[in-house]
Amino acid sequence: MPFSFFRRRQSQQRVGSLTRRSSKKGKKRNDQLAEFERLMEQMPPEPELNEKFAEVVDELDLSGAKREGVFALPPEAKWRLYLNQKFKHLSGDDSDVDHSNQYISDVKRLTGVPYPHDTQEQQSRTKLADGLKTALRTQTQSFVSQFVQSNGLDCLLEFLQQMDHNTRQSAIHTAIIGCIKALLNNTYGRGRVLSHVSATNIIAQSLYTDNVKTKVAVYEILGAVCLVPGGHKNVLKAMTHLQHFASERTRLQTVVLDLDRSTGIYRDEVNLKTTVMSFLNALLCCGSGEDNLEFRVHLRYEFLMLGFQPVFVKLREQSNPALDRHLDFFELMRRDDERQLSSRFGVPHIDTSSASAMLDVLRRKLAHSASYPHLLSLMHHCLLIPVEGDYLAHRWKLVDHVVQQVVLQQRGPVDLDLEPLKINVEDIVHHLFREEEMEKLRAEAEELKKTRDEIQSKFAKKERECEVRTQEKEDVKKALNKIMTKLEKEQKELREYKIHEKELNASVTELRAKLDREMQDRVRLESLLEKTSVSLPDDAKAAAGIDAARLSLQLSGVELASQPVVPPPPPPGSAAPPPPPPPAPGGFMPPGPPPPPGAPGFGSSTQKKIPKASNPMKSYNWAKLSEVQTKATLWKELDDAPMFKVLDLPEFERTFSAYQKKEGSTEDLSQLKAKPKELSVIDGRRAQNCTILLSKLKMSNEELKLVVLSMDDDEEITADMVEQLLKYVPLPDEIQLLSSHKDEIDKMARADRFLCEMSKIEHYGQRIAVLFYKKRFEERVSECRPKVEAIFRASREVGRSTRLRRLLEVVLAFGNYMNRGARSNAFGFKISSLNKIVDTKSSTDRRVTLLHYLIETVERKFPEVLQLERDLPNVRNAAKVNMTELETELMALKQGLDQVKKELDYHSKQTTRELGDRFVDIVSDFESLASVQLAELDETLVDARIQFNKSVSLFGEEPTKTQPDEFFGIFSTFLQSFEDARQENEVMRKKREEEARRAREIAEQKEREKRAAERRKREQASLATDGRRGKSKAVGKSESGEFDDLISALHKGDVFGEDLAKFKRKHGKRSSGVFGENGKSPKRVIGGIQQSRERSPAGD
């Protein structure tokens, strides 16, 4: 049943009731008039009259200016007004109660009812809402109080919550918002609205409409509430509520959209934009934004993130004075905040649009402070956030929200105008992506199906690796057991050595005693020999001397042959030697004559007659020929004996003496004999370089020997030093020479002693070679492994890249389209042709090539192709790898390991080892690990070669004729050319945009000058109507309430008048006159509202 029917029926019932009561009220009214005339004559004194009149003024809820005007009335008028109000209450007239209840009943009946299609019904509902709005504005305080106390406010809010879409767009919605606005103009009603739990939220919901008048009314209410103490926070909460109600991305999205909205009606559009800008300025400069720079910057950046800047530029084109005042104030606050923010960091300006500029300011400010490491950590972890993939924007949004809370909560534990953010990454990410979770799971399931086989193969490979590791572990255990056994054996041998040492010490003591006794006997015999040799002939004395010497040697422990020395037979053709003399008295046999020169000894070749040097000489490292080897050669015809007479042998001896002396010294050989002499038998330059190396090592020969025997298990020398030691391994000739002087080791030079000591180590050269291989093994494998992996991954990438396939399709299409004849109708092309694209120049602009045009095409048609390099991250590394060199290096590693195994087998077969020799223990462990690593590397190289051959064949190339550096070098060069051409395109695009922008600015400047001239003409034409406009303003002010005054001041910009005047004086922008007619400040207006609220009854 239509609502108009109920209204007509209630009107008929009300008329009948009034008719029945009219007769009763007539008599009562006459009595009241008589009483009124009597009381008019009994007017009280003025103090009492003013006290009673104040009650009437409070009932009328007049503002400050109107209240003063009423109190200025004459006493008779005050007394009459007081009596009229008193008789109205005494009459028992309950029309206010009836009217308020009737309106509430009508609003409840309309709540939740769909919007009617009947025009008459629409007008009836609109008329009801307009009537309620008028009543709330014009009726007395008792009517408003009765309406609010009867839950009239709740009825209005319930209607706004339950209205349908059509009602939301209608004038009924506008009228209901007007009713709430009327309540806000009443002190009692305003207190109830502002203290309501959800009133501000429901009012903000009304922005979800296309009705411009409704939007304007709501923005006016919200903007004015921001100026009321405590209202700013409620408005921000209401905007957050609107975000969830309208399912918008951010809480201020509706506000920015309304600023950018075009209604097609200039007056409505400008009115809406002006109201919205006044609301934004109130949000920024009131509440928390009044003295909190962080909050203002945060909230303003929230506008800018929604695209507010281009909208701001468009608003300037409206050329409306009221709107321009709000735009000027917004710009004022923005510049002032930027200046304050810059002053914190000691810089004149911070470019907030540049990430590098802001990071540089932070870096300079926090450098050398305790906060700088945390800044580095924050940047480092930001780098670790994925730069591609699903949910990327949401992860950065989470980081943004967390940092916002850190900024906004720095003045206290609770956020100023937002609820604190509960930091729970898993819950937040799950909340942000719950709508995409199922789709992600489906994609993951498909990916798992595709990669199942690959995972199984990897699992099998890992199993094999585990088996190898287990074997290695067993080998290590065996080696450990072997070491323990060896240690026990060595301990046992050490105990035996100690026992043997004690026995030797006892023997030495006994021998020393025996030697002393024999020395005494020797002295006695020598004295006896001297006495007896006086009477003997010379031959007998010589024989006696030989016998004495022989006896002396026997006493010293040297055993001589018991049989007499038989002289050698004479050479063929020579005379026989004389017979030996007869024995002399005393039993001594005189010695026989010496053998002739050149007589052969026992079992030796013919001895040449060579002069003997007085001092040891340096050796000449030659390969000599024996007498047998010189038969039937020219050496048989040569004789060096005459040369000894011709040569200056003393000079030769001084020049090549084995004993070294300092250069420039005047000491002769006789003086050197008195000093410790250094013997050097190796080449001088080699000895010098070896000495330099030993000085760098700073280790004794004994320490070096222990290092070599232990295979440098303690890492005492570097791989470079081992490499140098390889150069000074004793050569066979050097070993032979050194062994001939082994009794003179104390006289040898440093290098000679080192080579002599090292030559005593078994397989010294092979040990050093194994040690060098061991130290360089990890480094060489680490260099090979990335190269092999780069080839494998790059081969897989070029074969799987969908972006590369799309690009090749585009190039193939361009090529077939451009070419004619035999070069056309191509089904593919050599991959090297990619780098020839840049050679094709444009006919219109020689700076533009086919590659530039190709990039522009993919930007428009296939933008995903621009991210081609993301599909090929390993191509550049693979282009640097030469497969031949890589295989050669791997072969060298294998051969080196074979030598290690060979040397290990040799040492393992040795039954005795030198003390401290750990070659077998150390090298066996290393050989096991190295074998596994080389096997893995070799397997990876085989896989890489197979994958590379597949990729090369995929592009129509010959695998046997193509190397990785050649194949991937083509792609690497093309990627670089692609990126360079893309940057060149960007430079050319910016240049074209800059030229277009300059042309547009010139055109806009001309258009602004034209509009300014037209506006001056309109202003001159409107001077005649200024008086009437001023009068209408005054009437409006007298009829409106305090809240309307606040809305008007906010809309005109009077609230921000003082700040904007300062801005104009400072920046000289726009000469549109003084901002604000009365120059009211926000604090004055807010103070008036606060006083009105304090007058509201307690407990409402």
Side-chain angles (χ1 to χ4, degrees):
M1 186 176 294
F3 175 73
S4 58
F5 172 78
F6 288 104
R7 294 285 294 173
R8 287 195 299 269
R9 185 173 180 181
Q10 290 176 358
S11 178
Q12 292 173 1
Q13 292 176 355
R14 191 180 297 111
V15 170
S17 176
L18 291 175
T19 304
R20 287 191 298 271
R21 289 186 296 177
S22 60
S23 58
K24 297 181 181 179
K25 288 186 177 180
K27 184 177 179 180
K28 187 176 181 180
R29 190 181 301 277
N30 293 333
D31 296 339
Q32 290 178 351
L33 289 174
E35 181 66 17
F36 181 81
E37 293 295 335
R38 186 180 64 80
L39 290 176
M40 278 294 296
E41 298 176 356
Q42 301 178 1
M43 184 175 63
E46 187 170 356
E48 183 180 355
L49 175 62
N50 289 335
E51 182 177 352
K52 292 182 177 181
F53 185 68
E55 298 176 1
V56 177
V57 175
D58 292 340
E59 176 68 18
L60 295 176
D61 191 28
L62 298 177
S63 62
K66 296 177 182 178
R67 188 183 182 92
E68 294 176 0
V70 173
F71 270 102
L73 294 173
E76 293 79 4
K78 293 181 183 179
W79 181 242
R80 182 179 296 278
L81 286 175
Y82 172 75
L83 292 179
N84 283 334
Q85 191 68 17
K86 180 180 179 181
F87 272 92
K88 182 177 180 181
H89 286 289
L90 292 176
S91 64
D93 189 3
D94 55 354
S95 59
D96 288 346
V97 177
D98 293 340
H99 288 172
S100 62
N101 290 336
Q102 184 62 42
Y103 279 121
I104 293 172
S105 176
D106 292 342
V107 172
K108 285 183 177 179
R109 189 176 296 109
L110 290 177
T111 301
V113 178
Y115 188 72
H117 297 288
D118 183 27
T119 305
Q120 186 176 0
E121 182 67 20
Q122 296 174 7
Q123 294 175 354
S124 176
R125 295 186 184 185
T126 305
K127 184 177 180 181
L128 168 66
D130 288 336
L132 176 58
K133 178 180 69 174
T134 303
L136 291 173
R137 280 185 172 274
T138 58
Q139 291 292 336
T140 61
Q141 177 71 19
S142 60
F143 176 82
V144 178
S145 300
Q146 183 62 36
F147 180 82
V148 174
Q149 291 172 2
S150 301
N151 295 327
L153 175 61
D154 294 333
C155 290
L156 294 175
L157 297 177
E158 185 69 19
F159 177 85
L160 292 176
Q161 278 190 306
Q162 298 187 15
M163 61 183 173
D164 60 358
H165 176 74
N166 293 331
T167 305
R168 187 178 296 277
Q169 313 300 330
S170 66
I172 302 174
H173 186 190
T174 308
I176 295 297
I177 293 295
C179 294
I180 296 178
K181 189 175 178 181
L183 285 176
L184 288 169
N185 275 309
N186 184 274
T187 305
Y188 181 74
R190 180 168 56 254
R192 296 300 293 266
V193 171
L194 295 179
S195 61
H196 196 279
V197 177
S198 58
T200 311
N201 291 351
I202 297 172
I203 293 171
Q205 282 181 199
S206 296
L207 289 175
Y208 190 58
T209 180
D210 294 332
N211 192 321
V212 176
K213 293 183 179 180
T214 304
K215 283 181 175 289
V216 171
V218 173
Y219 279 124
E220 289 177 347
I221 293 174
L222 294 177
V225 170
C226 286
L227 301 176
V228 177
H232 187 269
K233 187 180 181 100
N234 292 334
V235 171
L236 281 175
K237 288 182 178 179
M239 298 308 297
T240 305
H241 171 76
L242 174 63
Q243 172 190 354
H244 300 299
F245 176 78
S247 300
E248 294 179 342
R249 185 165 56 91
T250 62
R251 59 178 175 176
L252 299 175
Q253 182 174 340
T254 298
V255 179
V256 178
L257 290 176
D258 287 340
L259 275 176
D260 197 30
R261 181 189 300 271
S262 178
T263 61
I265 304 175
Y266 178 80
R267 184 182 299 276
D268 292 345
E269 183 175 336
V270 171
N271 191 24
L272 174 63
K273 296 180 187 302
T274 304
T275 307
V276 174
M277 279 304 304
S278 65
F279 169 66
L280 288 183
N281 286 331
L283 274 181
L284 284 171
C285 68
C286 298
S288 300
E290 189 171 353
D291 57 352
N292 192 316
L293 172 65
E294 291 82 3
F295 174 78
R296 291 196 303 271
V297 173
H298 161 73
L299 193 60
R300 187 180 295 108
Y301 194 73
E302 192 171 346
F303 298 149
L304 298 176
M305 286 289 288
L306 292 171
F308 177 75
Q309 187 60 36
V311 175
F312 185 87
V313 175
K314 288 173 61 178
L315 292 178
R316 286 290 189 188
E317 300 175 357
Q318 296 288 339
S319 299
N320 181 269
L323 179 59
D324 287 343
R325 284 196 290 271
H326 287 289
L327 296 177
D328 290 343
F329 183 73
F330 182 87
E331 188 67 19
L332 160 69
M333 295 297 294
R334 179 178 179 179
R335 291 187 182 181
D336 188 60
D337 290 344
E338 289 178 352
R339 180 185 55 78
Q340 292 185 38
L341 185 62
S342 301
S343 63
R344 288 186 178 182
F345 295 93
V347 295
H349 176 68
I350 298 177
D351 186 4
T352 55
S353 63
S354 172
S356 60
M358 291 186 288
L359 182 59
D360 185 62
V361 171
L362 277 176
R363 179 186 59 79
R364 286 187 292 175
K365 184 67 176 179
L366 299 181
H368 310 295
S369 69
S371 303
Y372 189 67
H374 300 293
L375 174 64
L376 293 179
S377 176
L378 175 63
M379 295 297 101
H380 178 73
H381 286 87
C382 286
L383 289 176
L384 297 179
I385 298 177
V387 296
E388 60 182 3
D390 299 334
Y391 320 130
L392 174 61
H394 298 288
R395 295 181 186 275
W396 285 104
K397 183 178 180 181
L398 173 60
V399 175
D400 186 20
H401 285 335
V402 172
V403 176
Q404 287 178 17
Q405 287 299 314
V406 172
V407 173
L408 296 176
Q409 296 183 29
Q410 58 183 328
R411 295 196 177 186
V414 180
D415 180 19
L416 300 169
D417 288 277
L418 299 172
E419 291 298 328
L421 185 64
K422 297 179 180 179
I423 308 301
N424 188 321
V425 177
E426 293 184 1
D427 293 345
I428 294 173
V429 173
H430 178 71
H431 177 73
L432 292 175
F433 310 127
R434 63 180 182 272
E435 297 179 356
E436 305 174 5
E437 189 173 2
M438 293 305 298
E439 183 178 354
K440 178 184 177 182
L441 291 176
R442 291 193 202 98
E444 289 180 353
E446 293 295 330
E447 186 67 22
L448 288 175
K449 290 179 182 179
K450 294 178 181 178
T451 57
R452 180 179 57 187
D453 296 336
E454 184 178 353
I455 293 175
Q456 289 177 350
S457 63
K458 289 182 178 179
F459 181 73
K461 184 177 180 180
K462 291 297 181 182
E463 285 184 342
R464 293 194 299 270
E465 292 179 357
C466 289
E467 293 176 358
V468 173
R469 296 297 181 188
T470 304
Q471 184 63 35
E472 290 178 0
K473 184 177 180 181
E474 294 177 356
D475 295 340
V476 171
K477 288 183 179 178
K478 292 180 181 179
L480 182 61
N481 293 332
K482 189 182 295 183
I483 291 173
M484 294 299 296
T485 303
K486 181 180 178 182
L487 180 61
E488 293 175 357
K489 183 179 179 181
E490 290 178 352
Q491 289 177 348
K492 183 179 179 181
E493 292 176 353
L494 180 61
R495 289 193 296 269
E496 293 177 354
Y497 288 155
K498 289 182 178 179
I499 295 172
H500 186 57
E501 182 183 4
K502 291 181 180 179
E503 295 176 354
L504 291 177
N505 290 334
S507 301
V508 168
T509 304
E510 183 180 353
L511 290 174
R512 284 180 178 175
K514 184 179 179 180
L515 179 62
D516 292 339
R517 291 193 301 271
E518 292 179 350
M519 289 298 293
Q520 293 175 3
D521 294 339
R522 177 182 177 181
V523 172
R524 182 175 56 80
L525 290 175
E526 286 179 350
S527 62
L528 179 62
L529 181 61
E530 289 177 358
K531 292 178 182 179
T532 58
S533 61
V534 175
S535 59
L536 292 178
D538 294 337
D539 295 339
K541 289 180 180 180
I546 293 174
D547 292 339
R550 181 180 299 174
L551 178 60
S552 176
L553 291 174
Q554 288 177 352
L555 293 175
S556 301
V558 180
E559 296 182 357
L560 298 176
S562 58
Q563 66 275 14
V565 178
V566 180
S574 63
F588 292 102
M589 178 70 70
F602 297 104
S604 63
S605 61
T606 304
Q607 296 294 326
K608 302 181 69 173
K609 187 176 181 180
I610 303 172
K612 186 176 181 181
S614 59
N615 292 291
M617 301 288 291
K618 287 192 175 182
S619 300
Y620 172 38
N621 296 325
W622 62 9
K624 73 174 185 176
L625 299 177
S626 64
E627 184 178 4
V628 178
Q629 292 174 326
T630 59
K631 290 180 180 181
T633 64
L634 63 85
W635 298 106
K636 207 64 175 173
E637 301 174 2
L638 301 181
D639 185 11
D640 58 345
M643 294 293 106
F644 293 117
K645 298 177 181 180
V646 177
L647 298 175
D648 188 356
L649 295 180
E651 177 66 22
F652 182 73
E653 183 177 347
R654 285 194 301 271
T655 304
F656 294 98
S657 174
Y659 296 104
Q660 301 173 357
K661 65 176 182 178
K662 295 182 180 180
E663 184 178 356
S665 175
T666 59
E667 295 177 332
D668 55 12
L669 294 177
S670 61
Q671 293 174 332
L672 288 173
K673 292 180 182 179
K675 297 182 178 180
K677 303 174 182 179
E678 289 187 348
L679 178 63
S680 177
V681 297
I682 63 175
D683 180 67
R685 183 175 295 276
R686 178 174 167 84
Q688 181 182 5
N689 294 337
C690 182
T691 305
I692 294 173
L693 172 62
L694 295 175
S695 64
K696 291 181 179 179
L697 286 173
K698 297 180 181 179
M699 300 175 71
S700 64
N701 293 342
E702 291 75 14
E703 291 174 341
L704 281 173
K705 183 176 180 180
L706 290 177
V707 167
V708 174
L709 290 174
S710 64
M711 296 303 290
D712 195 21
D713 191 36
D714 296 332
E715 298 293 335
E716 297 184 39
I717 57 177
T718 62
D720 294 335
M721 288 300 179
V722 176
E723 184 179 10
Q724 294 298 321
L725 287 175
L726 272 174
K727 300 178 181 179
Y728 300 102
V729 173
L731 302 175
D733 294 339
E734 292 176 341
I735 295 175
Q736 184 178 0
L737 291 172
L738 291 170
S739 62
S740 63
H741 296 282
K742 60 183 179 181
D743 296 335
E744 301 177 286
I745 190 170
D746 294 336
K747 299 178 181 180
M748 289 184 181
R750 175 74 187 278
D752 295 68
R753 288 199 306 273
F754 167 74
L755 294 178
C756 185
E757 292 289 343
M758 296 302 108
S759 65
K760 297 177 182 179
I761 300 176
E762 189 175 11
H763 277 220
Y764 170 74
Q766 291 83 345
R767 283 176 179 268
I768 292 295
V770 172
L771 180 59
F772 180 65
Y773 179 85
K774 174 178 174 292
K775 285 184 173 291
R776 289 293 306 275
F777 180 78
E778 288 294 337
E779 179 182 351
R780 295 171 68 181
V781 171
S782 299
E783 291 176 356
C784 292
R785 185 176 290 112
K787 297 178 181 179
V788 177
E789 293 176 353
I791 294 176
F792 180 80
R793 293 174 181 173
S795 301
R796 188 171 54 184
E797 289 165 1
V798 296
R800 294 183 178 182
S801 174
T802 56
R803 294 186 175 104
L804 179 59
R805 292 173 183 261
R806 179 67 65 188
L807 180 67
L808 294 178
E809 288 175 351
V810 176
V811 175
L812 182 61
F814 278 160
N816 278 328
Y817 184 80
M818 296 174 69
N819 292 330
R820 293 290 184 269
R823 302 179 65 185
S824 182
N825 193 29
F827 294 91
F829 55 87
K830 290 289 184 180
I831 204 66
S832 58
S833 302
L834 279 177
N835 292 326
K836 298 179 181 179
I837 298 177
V838 72
D839 297 336
T840 305
K841 305 290 185 180
S842 171
S843 304
T844 57
D845 188 351
R846 301 297 294 175
R847 296 175 301 173
V848 178
T849 65
L850 179 58
L851 183 57
H852 293 93
Y853 186 80
L854 174 66
I855 293 174
E856 290 182 355
T857 302
V858 297
E859 283 180 347
R860 295 193 305 268
K861 305 295 184 181
F862 314 105
E864 71 279 1
V865 177
L866 296 176
Q867 306 300 327
L868 175 62
E869 193 161 358
R870 291 188 178 181
D871 287 357
L872 312 173
N874 292 284
V875 165
R876 296 186 186 274
N877 292 332
K880 303 174 183 178
V881 180
N882 186 289
M883 182 65 80
T884 303
E885 295 178 356
L886 183 60
E887 292 176 344
T888 302
E889 176 65 13
L890 186 58
M891 183 59 66
L893 285 171
K894 291 180 181 179
Q895 293 174 353
L897 186 60
D898 292 339
Q899 295 297 325
V900 171
K901 293 179 180 178
K902 182 178 178 181
E903 190 66 19
L904 181 61
D905 292 340
Y906 170 81
H907 285 275
S908 299
K909 294 176 182 178
Q910 301 301 313
T911 57
T912 59
R913 299 179 189 172
E914 193 173 350
L915 185 64
D917 187 0
R918 300 186 60 197
F919 183 88
V920 177
D921 302 333
I922 299 298
V923 177
S924 59
D925 294 342
F926 165 72
E927 186 271 334
S928 300
L929 297 177
S931 299
V932 175
Q933 292 185 21
L934 278 183
E936 292 179 352
L937 184 60
D938 188 51
E939 183 181 354
T940 306
L941 181 60
V942 172
D943 295 341
R945 168 61 76 179
I946 294 173
Q947 187 67 39
F948 174 71
N949 291 341
K950 289 181 180 179
S951 299
V952 172
S953 301
L954 187 64
F955 286 91
E957 305 288 342
E958 288 291 336
T960 57
K961 299 180 181 179
T962 307
Q963 292 295 324
D965 53 349
E966 175 188 352
F967 180 71
F968 295 116
I970 295 172
F971 290 102
S972 178
T973 303
F974 177 74
L975 289 176
Q976 186 61 46
S977 301
F978 191 86
E979 182 62 26
D980 294 343
R982 185 179 177 184
Q983 293 179 2
E984 291 170 2
N985 278 355
E986 188 66 24
V987 171
M988 289 188 288
R989 183 183 299 111
K990 289 182 178 179
K991 185 176 181 180
R992 291 194 298 267
E993 291 176 355
E994 180 66 19
E995 293 174 354
R997 184 185 64 81
R998 291 177 180 175
R1000 188 168 58 254
E1001 287 180 352
I1002 294 174
E1004 290 175 354
Q1005 180 65 25
K1006 294 180 179 179
E1007 184 65 22
R1008 282 196 297 269
E1009 293 175 357
K1010 182 179 178 181
R1011 286 200 301 268
E1014 295 176 353
R1015 185 169 64 250
R1016 285 193 295 270
K1017 292 180 180 179
R1018 289 197 301 269
E1019 290 175 354
Q1020 292 174 0
S1022 62
L1023 290 177
T1025 59
D1026 285 346
R1028 291 192 298 273
R1029 289 179 181 176
K1031 182 177 180 180
S1032 62
K1033 288 181 181 179
V1035 173
K1037 288 183 179 180
S1038 63
E1039 294 177 353
S1040 61
E1042 290 179 359
F1043 203 76
D1044 280 344
D1045 293 340
L1046 186 59
I1047 292 174
S1048 177
L1050 179 63
H1051 186 78
K1052 294 177 182 178
D1054 294 345
V1055 176
F1056 316 114
E1058 295 177 358
D1059 294 331
L1060 190 61
K1062 179 175 64 177
F1063 169 73
K1064 289 189 175 184
R1065 288 194 302 270
K1066 184 175 180 181
H1067 299 282
K1069 281 196 63 154
R1070 299 186 178 271
S1071 57
S1072 56
V1074 179
F1075 181 52
E1077 296 177 0
N1078 52 12
K1080 292 182 180 178
S1081 66
K1083 294 183 179 179
R1084 292 181 184 175
V1085 180
I1086 296 171
I1089 297 296
Q1090 179 65 25
Q1091 292 174 4
S1092 300
R1093 291 191 65 184
E1094 291 174 354
R1095 290 199 303 269
S1096 61
D1100 284 344

